Every structure is written in C-alpha cells, then in structure tokens.
Amino acid sequence: MLEHVLEYKQQFKVIYDPNRKLLLAPLNESGKRKFICTTVRPTKLPYTELYEWDKCAKFVSDFLEYEELSVPDKLPKIIPSPSNVLHWQAGDSFDFAIVLCSLLVGCGYDAYCVYGTAPRDI
C-alpha cells in the first residue's frame, strides 16, 4: 500500500500542484515510513466521561504538554503513534490532533485530521 501512496504523491505533484506539500507517508518514531491514515488508531479508554467530544478534547488539552514545532510553518519530520504521545504526555499540534481524533473515532464519532497554514500574524 505504501508504494501506491508514494506513487500517488508523485502523480499529484505532476497533475495538480508541484508546490503543495502532502503529508501522506511521514516517518514514525521508529524511523519507518507509515501511511498517515494508519496512524489514527480507534482508541476507547475505559473512562466513560471521555466518551463525549468536549470532555475528550479537554482531557487531551489538560493531559498533554504542548511542544511547539521546531519550524512552525513546516511539516513535522516525525509523526509518532497516539499511544506513544499519551505515554510521553507531550506533543506538537499534529500529535494532539491525531490523539484526539483516535479517541473520538474510538468512541464512534466521525472524526478526521486536516492540516494547513496561516499567516504569521494569525
């Protein structure tokens, strides 16, 4: 599957937009390329209070320590698994989003991760 993903990435650049950066197969914490969609892992914690989206989001924001990206307008070099981010209790904005999405999908929500950039003044 990874071969098809990387081939798509090349075709996208030729057909659509050679300048757009796609985050399709980043390295994981073990240094292996991994299809980004397989990084979101449906996870259901044994705490019923985390089955509601707002309490789940509050848990992620309170439990994890935020670490800024080293270069804020570039994609991260590594996307770790949600379980490691929870174990480390720290992560960047991508890590937070993937952990929250994994928890929400595990609880039955139709959740997705998207990324983009904003001007520096925002």
Side-chain angles (χ1 to χ4, degrees), residues 46-112:
Y47 307 105
T48 55
E49 59 270 11
L50 296 180
Y51 295 175
E52 297 174 38
W53 68 268
D54 54 342
K55 292 177 182 169
C56 192
K58 178 142 179 53
F59 165 75
V60 170
S61 70
D62 291 347
F63 184 72
L64 300 178
E65 185 175 332
Y66 178 70
E67 298 174 343
E68 286 188 21
L69 290 165
S70 55
V71 184
D73 61 342
K74 302 286 185 208
L75 298 174
K77 294 186 187 309
I78 295 173
I79 300 285
S81 68
S83 60
N84 276 335
V85 173
L86 287 171
H87 177 73
W88 299 329
Q89 297 182 5
D92 59 37
S93 55
F94 284 83
D95 302 337
F96 274 50
I98 291 170
V99 167
L100 181 58
C101 188
S102 295
L103 293 172
L104 292 174
V105 169
C107 292
Y109 288 94
D110 191 18
Y112 301 90

Side-chain angles (χ1 to χ4, degrees), residues 26-33 78:
L27 296 175
N28 66 8
E29 64 276 17
S30 301
K32 305 276 186 195
R33 288 223 174 272
I78 295 173

